[in-house]
Amino acid sequence: MKNIFTEEREVKTPKLYHALITFLCLVVIMMVGIKVYGVDPHIPMFLGVIVAAIMAMVLGYNWKDIEKMMVDGISKAMQSILILAIVGMMIGAWLISGTIPTMIYYGLKLLSPKVFLVAAVLICSITSLATGTSWGTMGTMGLALIGIGSGLGMPIGPTAGAVICGAYFGDKMSPLSDTTNLAPAMAGTDVFTHVKYMLKSTIIAYLISLAFFAVYGFMHATSGNVDTSQATVLMDGIKASFNINPILLLPPLVVILSIALKVPAIPGITLGLLVAAVMAPFAQSGVNIGGILDVALNGFVLESDVEALNDLLSTGGLMNMSSSILMTMIAMMFGGIMEGTGQLAVIIEAITKHIKGDAGLIGATEATCILSNVVMPEQYISILVPGRMFAPAYRKAGLHPKCLSNALESSGTVTSCLVPWNTCGMFIAATLGVSTSVYAPWAVFNYVMPILCFVLAFFGVTATKMTPEEQAKADAGELV
């Protein structure tokens, strides 16, 4: 009896229908798992890996070949996996040292009734940049600002829109965010190169959002008393639990300086971790080396009298990054099989033969990410799957991988909240108590960002060619 797992067979070149069957199975499994049963995407994604492996065997590959494809796929994301692990440890150190609470405290001090909506964007931006999580920001600062906006007499739609714009700006730009690390891993570049390249287009979209909310807020300003008690409660809770001092802003400044000096991502983030760890015993009472090591592994847990503050600041640690790390590994197993069997190639060929120019390729990438958010309603998948799909096409076109990572973040990350049945859309509706149809028209940053990225591609701002040296590194599978 023949062993289908080990026997050598003739390997077939995949047809388009082979690849479409594999992807359609993944889409159906993801939709049923996430939407119908409400499970995390990990196991549905792994079921997609099984489907891809079965299709590989149909094409004639044996198990040894398939296993190598999966391992090769994971290896391509190994730097990102290491960064996610170190970022988890750094978040724990930044919390126990008081760095993140200090950033949030000064952000809340920006609150001003006269420019409430602009202040809401800025506060949520600072919080999301500091914590790397849009969900955590919206579930804490966002809720407080919704209450303050109600006291101000501000309609709930614009208030929720301002919160979402700020939260997603930080989620898109923070080196602490898992999406900010996943996008360059899928594209083939490093996180610092990715963040720097996003700056121009993201800042323009951000300024457009701020200008919009400034004008709207001025036109709808009221002279009534504003209830800022919720913000005051958060500030008092931070001061009661931490020593607040501007010197605690040094760790993020070290990371920013590392980016500016082109220090590689892993040592740059590690420096931010070490600076916070050294400062922690001197900055906060009762902190010792054992406590620092513990939060680096298991995360920081705040036990204050303010429940919302506990929810926001009880996070971080290596173990809390395990979900993102495992999701990346499983997705790269799928991508490795699809790439190794040539199924990705036939799909990209079918898409790109109708595309003309670099801007067209970037537009197709964004459209695929948005479609992924609709049909596979999970933000991570809208970055992971299109990232692996389009990476070969970008290399063939000579486009730098940072163009791909920018397109992934400018569409996959920010549009997830605009889909009511996406996990992000459902979270916002449940947390802020505002339906997608109410807040979506006001989420200016989130729908301006992909449009702006596409438009700027025509002018070469988000469509940069590789040098011959960079092309050689990309063809060799190295980070560019």
Side-chain angles (χ1 to χ4, degrees):
M1 182 178 177
K2 293 182 178 180
N3 189 330
I4 61 172
F5 291 98
T6 58
E7 68 171 317
E8 295 292 335
R9 294 177 293 158
E10 181 184 355
V11 175
K12 305 173 187 175
T13 301
K15 304 294 184 182
L16 181 59
Y17 68 84
H18 290 120
L20 290 178
I21 289 172
T22 307
F23 265 108
L24 286 174
C25 287
L26 175 65
V27 169
V28 171
I29 293 168
M30 294 295 294
M31 288 184 69
V32 172
I34 295 172
K35 181 60 180 173
V36 177
Y37 295 105
V39 301
D40 288 333
H42 300 67
I43 302 305
M45 189 76 228
F46 182 69
L47 293 176
V49 174
I50 294 174
V51 172
I54 292 172
M55 183 59 75
M57 295 180 71
V58 170
L59 293 171
Y61 292 91
N62 61 32
W63 177 248
K64 185 177 179 180
D65 297 326
I66 297 169
E67 189 175 82
K68 184 177 185 301
M69 293 174 196
M70 291 189 290
V71 173
D72 288 345
I74 294 172
S75 68
K76 291 179 180 178
M78 192 52 65
Q79 190 201 47
S80 180
I81 290 170
L82 294 174
I83 290 173
L84 283 170
I86 298 170
V87 164
M89 292 185 277
M90 185 174 73
I91 292 173
W94 282 19
L95 283 164
I96 198 171
S97 67
T99 292
I100 290 175
T102 296
M103 295 174 72
I104 295 171
Y105 180 82
Y106 288 134
L108 285 172
K109 288 181 75 70
L110 291 172
L111 193 63
S112 169
K114 294 182 180 179
V115 288
F116 170 73
L117 292 178
V118 171
V121 176
L122 294 173
I123 289 167
C124 289
S125 299
I126 292 170
T127 304
S128 193
L129 281 168
T131 60
T133 167
S134 57
W135 284 28
T137 298
M138 291 183 289
T140 51
M141 292 299 176
L143 274 176
L145 290 165
I146 290 289
I148 295 168
S150 177
L152 180 63
M154 189 66 66
I156 194 169
T159 303
V163 167
I164 291 165
C165 287
Y168 274 89
F169 168 79
D171 194 7
K172 184 176 186 290
M173 295 301 296
S174 175
L176 307 184
S177 167
D178 23 14
T179 59
T180 308
N181 284 280
L182 290 176
M186 296 305 102
T189 188
D190 67 90
V191 66
F192 283 178
T193 299
H194 170 57
V195 170
K196 284 189 290 185
Y197 194 69
M198 288 195 297
L199 273 175
K200 288 182 181 178
S201 56
T202 306
I203 291 300
I204 294 172
Y206 190 63
L207 291 176
I208 291 172
S209 304
L210 287 175
F212 173 84
F213 285 113
V215 172
Y216 181 88
F218 177 79
M219 291 173 60
H220 292 78
T222 66
S223 57
N225 293 324
V226 181
D227 179 12
T228 59
S229 58
Q230 294 184 62
T232 302
V233 167
L234 289 173
M235 292 174 68
D236 290 344
I238 291 173
K239 288 198 72 175
S241 303
F242 300 92
N243 295 320
I244 303 300
N245 193 303
I247 195 65
L248 292 171
L249 299 176
L250 182 60
L253 289 177
V254 167
V255 174
I256 293 170
L257 186 61
S258 297
I259 296 174
L261 295 177
K262 299 183 179 180
V263 175
I266 289 177
I269 294 172
T270 302
L271 281 173
L273 161 64
L274 294 176
V275 170
V278 170
M279 294 176 64
F282 304 99
Q284 307 298 329
S285 59
V287 175
N288 55 38
I289 294 176
I292 298 169
L293 295 176
D294 180 65
V295 299
L297 176 64
N298 298 309
F300 181 78
V301 177
L302 179 64
E303 298 178 349
S304 72
D305 296 330
V306 184
E307 193 61 35
L309 200 60
N310 295 341
D311 292 339
L312 178 63
L313 298 183
S314 296
T315 184
L318 176 60
M319 298 308 295
N320 281 325
M321 277 295 181
S322 60
S323 178
S324 297
I325 290 171
L326 291 172
M327 185 69 239
T328 303
M329 293 177 68
I330 296 169
M332 291 307 291
M333 288 165 64
F334 178 85
I337 295 173
M338 296 297 288
E339 196 166 355
T341 57
Q343 293 181 75
L344 276 184
V346 296
I347 288 180
I348 293 302
E349 183 181 352
I351 295 174
T352 55
K353 70 180 181 181
H354 301 293
I355 295 173
K356 295 181 180 179
D358 298 336
L361 182 56
I362 289 170
T365 305
E366 292 190 310
T368 305
C369 291
I370 294 170
L371 183 63
S372 296
N373 268 325
V374 173
V375 300
M376 293 185 288
E378 165 57 42
Q379 185 186 60
Y380 290 166
I381 303 302
S382 71
I383 294 172
L384 292 165
V385 175
R388 293 317 305 158
M389 279 179 60
F390 282 95
Y394 277 69
R395 286 197 299 272
K396 185 177 179 181
L399 284 172
H400 198 287
K402 62 188 178 183
C403 303
L404 173 56
S405 63
N406 181 49
L408 295 173
E409 283 256 66
S410 297
S411 50
T413 297
V414 301
T415 63
S416 56
C417 67
L418 303 178
V419 181
W421 54 86
N422 189 282
T423 52
C424 295
M426 291 189 291
F427 172 84
I428 294 170
T431 304
L432 299 184
V434 186
S435 67
T436 310
S437 60
V438 173
Y439 70 71
W442 306 97
V444 182
F445 176 79
N446 300 70
Y447 55 76
V448 165
M449 192 67 254
I451 296 171
L452 186 64
C453 178
F454 177 63
V455 170
L456 291 178
F458 283 103
F459 301 97
V461 178
T462 55
T464 303
K465 293 288 188 179
M466 288 186 282
T467 63
E469 294 78 11
E470 291 170 336
Q471 183 77 61
K473 290 179 65 176
D475 291 340
E478 300 175 15
L479 293 183
V480 180

Tab-separated table of all heavy atoms in Angstrom, residues 306-350:
chain	number	residue	atom	x	y	z
A	306	VAL	N	-9.638	52.633	40.642
A	306	VAL	CA	-10.281	53.039	39.389
A	306	VAL	C	-10.250	51.854	38.431
A	306	VAL	O	-9.205	51.514	37.874
A	306	VAL	CB	-9.577	54.261	38.767
A	306	VAL	CG1	-10.327	54.729	37.515
A	306	VAL	CG2	-9.447	55.391	39.780
A	307	GLU	N	-11.403	51.214	38.235
A	307	GLU	CA	-11.463	49.999	37.439
A	307	GLU	C	-11.034	50.233	35.989
A	307	GLU	O	-10.345	49.403	35.389
A	307	GLU	CB	-12.879	49.429	37.472
A	307	GLU	CG	-12.984	48.010	36.944
A	307	GLU	CD	-12.151	47.008	37.737
A	307	GLU	OE1	-12.047	47.182	38.974
A	307	GLU	OE2	-11.600	46.081	37.121
A	308	ALA	N	-11.453	51.370	35.417
A	308	ALA	CA	-11.089	51.669	34.026
A	308	ALA	C	-9.582	51.782	33.872
A	308	ALA	O	-9.009	51.353	32.864
A	308	ALA	CB	-11.762	52.957	33.571
A	309	LEU	N	-8.924	52.348	34.876
A	309	LEU	CA	-7.470	52.494	34.840
A	309	LEU	C	-6.801	51.126	34.973
A	309	LEU	O	-5.796	50.849	34.299
A	309	LEU	CB	-7.015	53.424	35.973
A	309	LEU	CG	-5.637	54.064	35.843
A	309	LEU	CD1	-5.556	54.928	34.595
A	309	LEU	CD2	-5.325	54.887	37.086
A	310	ASN	N	-7.358	50.269	35.819
A	310	ASN	CA	-6.824	48.915	35.958
A	310	ASN	C	-6.888	48.161	34.634
A	310	ASN	O	-5.952	47.454	34.255
A	310	ASN	CB	-7.606	48.142	37.019
A	310	ASN	CG	-7.433	48.735	38.411
A	310	ASN	OD1	-6.494	49.485	38.657
A	310	ASN	ND2	-8.344	48.418	39.305
A	311	ASP	N	-8.014	48.323	33.916
A	311	ASP	CA	-8.177	47.648	32.626
A	311	ASP	C	-7.150	48.130	31.608
A	311	ASP	O	-6.633	47.340	30.811
A	311	ASP	CB	-9.591	47.885	32.084
A	311	ASP	CG	-10.655	47.190	32.920
A	311	ASP	OD1	-10.310	46.243	33.641
A	311	ASP	OD2	-11.824	47.613	32.853
A	312	LEU	N	-6.858	49.427	31.622
A	312	LEU	CA	-5.937	50.004	30.644
A	312	LEU	C	-4.493	49.626	30.929
A	312	LEU	O	-3.735	49.303	30.010
A	312	LEU	CB	-6.084	51.533	30.629
A	312	LEU	CG	-5.129	52.287	29.682
A	312	LEU	CD1	-5.391	51.896	28.232
A	312	LEU	CD2	-5.280	53.793	29.865
A	313	LEU	N	-4.098	49.657	32.197
A	313	LEU	CA	-2.685	49.531	32.538
A	313	LEU	C	-2.291	48.143	33.035
A	313	LEU	O	-1.146	47.937	33.425
A	313	LEU	CB	-2.314	50.584	33.597
A	313	LEU	CG	-2.500	52.044	33.145
A	313	LEU	CD1	-2.040	53.005	34.238
A	313	LEU	CD2	-1.739	52.324	31.855
A	314	SER	N	-3.200	47.198	33.031
A	314	SER	CA	-2.847	45.809	33.369
A	314	SER	C	-2.624	45.045	32.065
A	314	SER	O	-3.533	44.451	31.499
A	314	SER	CB	-3.959	45.153	34.196
A	314	SER	OG	-4.109	45.798	35.439
A	315	THR	N	-1.397	45.082	31.584
A	315	THR	CA	-1.085	44.493	30.278
A	315	THR	C	0.424	44.313	30.165
A	315	THR	O	1.162	44.473	31.128
A	315	THR	CB	-1.622	45.401	29.151
A	315	THR	OG1	-1.397	44.780	27.897
A	315	THR	CG2	-0.943	46.766	29.144
A	316	GLY	N	0.880	44.002	28.970
A	316	GLY	CA	2.310	43.863	28.709
A	316	GLY	C	2.828	42.486	29.097
A	316	GLY	O	2.085	41.586	29.511
A	317	GLY	N	4.133	42.291	28.948
A	317	GLY	CA	4.773	41.034	29.282
A	317	GLY	C	4.899	40.096	28.088
A	317	GLY	O	4.107	40.155	27.146
A	318	LEU	N	5.901	39.258	28.160
A	318	LEU	CA	6.157	38.300	27.077
A	318	LEU	C	4.974	37.371	26.854
A	318	LEU	O	4.587	37.093	25.712
A	318	LEU	CB	7.411	37.490	27.421
A	318	LEU	CG	7.803	36.359	26.465
A	318	LEU	CD1	8.080	36.901	25.069
A	318	LEU	CD2	9.023	35.612	27.003
A	319	MET	N	4.362	36.885	27.929
A	319	MET	CA	3.276	35.925	27.795
A	319	MET	C	2.050	36.548	27.141
A	319	MET	O	1.303	35.859	26.438
A	319	MET	CB	2.901	35.348	29.166
A	319	MET	CG	4.035	34.585	29.849
A	319	MET	SD	4.784	33.309	28.798
A	319	MET	CE	3.410	32.191	28.616
A	320	ASN	N	1.821	37.827	27.350
A	320	ASN	CA	0.669	38.492	26.749
A	320	ASN	C	0.847	38.718	25.249
A	320	ASN	O	-0.114	39.089	24.563
A	320	ASN	CB	0.388	39.830	27.449
A	320	ASN	CG	-0.348	39.645	28.760
A	320	ASN	OD1	-1.185	38.757	28.900
A	320	ASN	ND2	-0.023	40.462	29.746
A	321	MET	N	2.061	38.538	24.748
A	321	MET	CA	2.311	38.643	23.313
A	321	MET	C	2.179	37.284	22.617
A	321	MET	O	2.284	37.203	21.398
A	321	MET	CB	3.715	39.209	23.056
A	321	MET	CG	3.789	40.722	23.112
A	321	MET	SD	2.827	41.478	21.773
A	321	MET	CE	3.151	43.215	22.092
A	322	SER	N	1.972	36.239	23.405
A	322	SER	CA	1.955	34.891	22.826
A	322	SER	C	0.849	34.728	21.789
A	322	SER	O	1.037	34.033	20.781
A	322	SER	CB	1.796	33.846	23.933
A	322	SER	OG	0.577	34.035	24.643
A	323	SER	N	-0.305	35.370	21.992
A	323	SER	CA	-1.407	35.251	21.037
A	323	SER	C	-1.008	35.799	19.668
A	323	SER	O	-1.241	35.159	18.638
A	323	SER	CB	-2.648	35.975	21.551
A	323	SER	OG	-3.707	35.904	20.621
A	324	SER	N	-0.390	36.984	19.661
A	324	SER	CA	0.039	37.585	18.396
A	324	SER	C	1.150	36.776	17.741
A	324	SER	O	1.178	36.604	16.516
A	324	SER	CB	0.514	39.025	18.634
A	324	SER	OG	-0.540	39.829	19.109
A	325	ILE	N	2.075	36.278	18.560
A	325	ILE	CA	3.178	35.487	18.029
A	325	ILE	C	2.660	34.196	17.389
A	325	ILE	O	3.054	33.823	16.275
A	325	ILE	CB	4.195	35.169	19.147
A	325	ILE	CG1	4.941	36.453	19.557
A	325	ILE	CG2	5.188	34.095	18.700
A	325	ILE	CD1	5.811	36.289	20.787
A	326	LEU	N	1.741	33.513	18.066
A	326	LEU	CA	1.193	32.265	17.531
A	326	LEU	C	0.364	32.523	16.271
A	326	LEU	O	0.402	31.728	15.323
A	326	LEU	CB	0.339	31.577	18.601
A	326	LEU	CG	1.119	31.012	19.800
A	326	LEU	CD1	0.166	30.538	20.875
A	326	LEU	CD2	2.044	29.882	19.357
A	327	MET	N	-0.378	33.645	16.262
A	327	MET	CA	-1.165	33.983	15.075
A	327	MET	C	-0.244	34.192	13.875
A	327	MET	O	-0.530	33.743	12.761
A	327	MET	CB	-1.980	35.250	15.353
A	327	MET	CG	-2.939	35.650	14.234
A	327	MET	SD	-4.314	34.516	14.059
A	327	MET	CE	-4.097	33.992	12.371
A	328	THR	N	0.862	34.873	14.109
A	328	THR	CA	1.835	35.110	13.039
A	328	THR	C	2.401	33.790	12.516
A	328	THR	O	2.498	33.576	11.303
A	328	THR	CB	2.984	36.004	13.546
A	328	THR	OG1	2.452	37.235	14.040
A	328	THR	CG2	3.981	36.293	12.440
A	329	MET	N	2.757	32.896	13.424
A	329	MET	CA	3.351	31.619	13.017
A	329	MET	C	2.364	30.780	12.196
A	329	MET	O	2.732	30.210	11.161
A	329	MET	CB	3.810	30.845	14.259
A	329	MET	CG	4.964	31.488	14.991
A	329	MET	SD	5.437	30.613	16.511
A	329	MET	CE	6.084	29.092	15.816
A	330	ILE	N	1.105	30.726	12.650
A	330	ILE	CA	0.112	29.922	11.930
A	330	ILE	C	-0.160	30.509	10.546
A	330	ILE	O	-0.252	29.793	9.550
A	330	ILE	CB	-1.188	29.811	12.755
A	330	ILE	CG1	-0.931	29.059	14.057
A	330	ILE	CG2	-2.275	29.104	11.951
A	330	ILE	CD1	-2.076	29.118	15.046
A	331	ALA	N	-0.298	31.839	10.489
A	331	ALA	CA	-0.538	32.490	9.197
A	331	ALA	C	0.634	32.277	8.244
A	331	ALA	O	0.445	32.104	7.034
A	331	ALA	CB	-0.798	33.976	9.395
A	332	MET	N	1.856	32.296	8.785
A	332	MET	CA	3.033	32.090	7.930
A	332	MET	C	3.153	30.634	7.487
A	332	MET	O	3.741	30.351	6.443
A	332	MET	CB	4.291	32.540	8.661
A	332	MET	CG	4.376	34.047	8.871
A	332	MET	SD	4.176	34.987	7.345
A	332	MET	CE	5.687	34.558	6.484
A	333	MET	N	2.612	29.696	8.251
A	333	MET	CA	2.533	28.308	7.788
A	333	MET	C	1.654	28.234	6.537
A	333	MET	O	2.009	27.586	5.551
A	333	MET	CB	1.954	27.421	8.899
A	333	MET	CG	2.896	27.187	10.070
A	333	MET	SD	2.044	26.528	11.534
A	333	MET	CE	1.471	24.935	10.912
A	334	PHE	N	0.505	28.914	6.594
A	334	PHE	CA	-0.397	28.971	5.435
A	334	PHE	C	0.297	29.648	4.262
A	334	PHE	O	0.295	29.134	3.131
A	334	PHE	CB	-1.670	29.728	5.810
A	334	PHE	CG	-2.644	29.890	4.676
A	334	PHE	CD1	-3.555	28.888	4.371
A	334	PHE	CD2	-2.672	31.052	3.910
A	334	PHE	CE1	-4.461	29.032	3.327
A	334	PHE	CE2	-3.562	31.213	2.865
A	334	PHE	CZ	-4.462	30.199	2.568
A	335	GLY	N	0.913	30.807	4.529
A	335	GLY	CA	1.590	31.545	3.465
A	335	GLY	C	2.748	30.768	2.878
A	335	GLY	O	2.989	30.819	1.665
A	336	GLY	N	3.465	30.021	3.727
A	336	GLY	CA	4.598	29.231	3.247
A	336	GLY	C	4.154	28.156	2.261
A	336	GLY	O	4.802	27.937	1.234
A	337	ILE	N	3.033	27.484	2.567
A	337	ILE	CA	2.516	26.454	1.658
A	337	ILE	C	2.027	27.085	0.359
A	337	ILE	O	2.315	26.596	-0.739
A	337	ILE	CB	1.371	25.665	2.335
A	337	ILE	CG1	1.900	24.878	3.535
A	337	ILE	CG2	0.720	24.710	1.332
A	337	ILE	CD1	0.814	24.209	4.362
A	338	MET	N	1.287	28.182	0.476
A	338	MET	CA	0.753	28.836	-0.714
A	338	MET	C	1.864	29.358	-1.617
A	338	MET	O	1.769	29.303	-2.854
A	338	MET	CB	-0.177	29.987	-0.303
A	338	MET	CG	-1.420	29.561	0.449
A	338	MET	SD	-2.507	28.508	-0.539
A	338	MET	CE	-3.174	29.710	-1.697
A	339	GLU	N	2.929	29.852	-0.987
A	339	GLU	CA	4.056	30.373	-1.771
A	339	GLU	C	4.884	29.228	-2.349
A	339	GLU	O	5.269	29.252	-3.528
A	339	GLU	CB	4.921	31.265	-0.885
A	339	GLU	CG	5.883	32.154	-1.644
A	339	GLU	CD	6.473	33.251	-0.786
A	339	GLU	OE1	6.074	33.405	0.375
A	339	GLU	OE2	7.351	33.969	-1.300
A	340	GLY	N	5.148	28.200	-1.535
A	340	GLY	CA	5.989	27.091	-1.969
A	340	GLY	C	5.373	26.269	-3.085
A	340	GLY	O	6.088	25.744	-3.949
A	341	THR	N	4.048	26.144	-3.089
A	341	THR	CA	3.372	25.361	-4.130
A	341	THR	C	3.073	26.179	-5.386
A	341	THR	O	2.615	25.630	-6.391
A	341	THR	CB	2.039	24.796	-3.592
A	341	THR	OG1	1.211	25.880	-3.126
A	341	THR	CG2	2.279	23.815	-2.461
A	342	GLY	N	3.298	27.496	-5.313
A	342	GLY	CA	3.029	28.353	-6.471
A	342	GLY	C	1.598	28.847	-6.555
A	342	GLY	O	1.225	29.522	-7.526
A	343	GLN	N	0.779	28.535	-5.539
A	343	GLN	CA	-0.610	28.984	-5.580
A	343	GLN	C	-0.716	30.506	-5.446
A	343	GLN	O	-1.588	31.126	-6.069
A	343	GLN	CB	-1.416	28.304	-4.471
A	343	GLN	CG	-1.586	26.804	-4.677
A	343	GLN	CD	-2.413	26.178	-3.574
A	343	GLN	OE1	-3.633	26.337	-3.533
A	343	GLN	NE2	-1.753	25.462	-2.669
A	344	LEU	N	0.161	31.106	-4.637
A	344	LEU	CA	0.167	32.567	-4.530
A	344	LEU	C	0.516	33.192	-5.877
A	344	LEU	O	-0.067	34.207	-6.277
A	344	LEU	CB	1.181	33.031	-3.474
A	344	LEU	CG	0.734	33.040	-2.017
A	344	LEU	CD1	1.840	33.610	-1.147
A	344	LEU	CD2	-0.540	33.855	-1.838
A	345	ALA	N	1.453	32.590	-6.548
A	345	ALA	CA	1.927	33.144	-7.817
A	345	ALA	C	0.808	33.211	-8.853
A	345	ALA	O	0.680	34.207	-9.578
A	345	ALA	CB	3.098	32.323	-8.355
A	346	VAL	N	-0.025	32.158	-8.923
A	346	VAL	CA	-1.073	32.165	-9.947
A	346	VAL	C	-2.157	33.187	-9.618
A	346	VAL	O	-2.747	33.796	-10.516
A	346	VAL	CB	-1.688	30.755	-10.137
A	346	VAL	CG1	-0.653	29.789	-10.653
A	346	VAL	CG2	-2.328	30.237	-8.857
A	347	ILE	N	-2.421	33.390	-8.318
A	347	ILE	CA	-3.409	34.404	-7.938
A	347	ILE	C	-2.885	35.797	-8.262
A	347	ILE	O	-3.600	36.634	-8.840
A	347	ILE	CB	-3.754	34.298	-6.436
A	347	ILE	CG1	-4.585	33.046	-6.185
A	347	ILE	CG2	-4.516	35.529	-5.963
A	347	ILE	CD1	-4.982	32.854	-4.752
A	348	ILE	N	-1.635	36.057	-7.896
A	348	ILE	CA	-1.050	37.377	-8.155
A	348	ILE	C	-0.959	37.630	-9.651
A	348	ILE	O	-1.203	38.750	-10.128
A	348	ILE	CB	0.342	37.484	-7.502
A	348	ILE	CG1	0.198	37.462	-5.978
A	348	ILE	CG2	1.046	38.754	-7.932
A	348	ILE	CD1	-0.689	38.559	-5.424
A	349	GLU	N	-0.631	36.595	-10.425
A	349	GLU	CA	-0.563	36.762	-11.878
A	349	GLU	C	-1.934	37.131	-12.442
A	349	GLU	O	-2.050	37.996	-13.322
A	349	GLU	CB	-0.060	35.473	-12.532
A	349	GLU	CG	0.111	35.595	-14.041
A	349	GLU	CD	0.575	34.293	-14.672
A	349	GLU	OE1	0.905	33.341	-13.926
A	349	GLU	OE2	0.599	34.231	-15.923
A	350	ALA	N	-2.981	36.495	-11.904
A	350	ALA	CA	-4.340	36.795	-12.371
A	350	ALA	C	-4.744	38.225	-12.024
A	350	ALA	O	-5.456	38.882	-12.790
A	350	ALA	CB	-5.326	35.809	-11.752
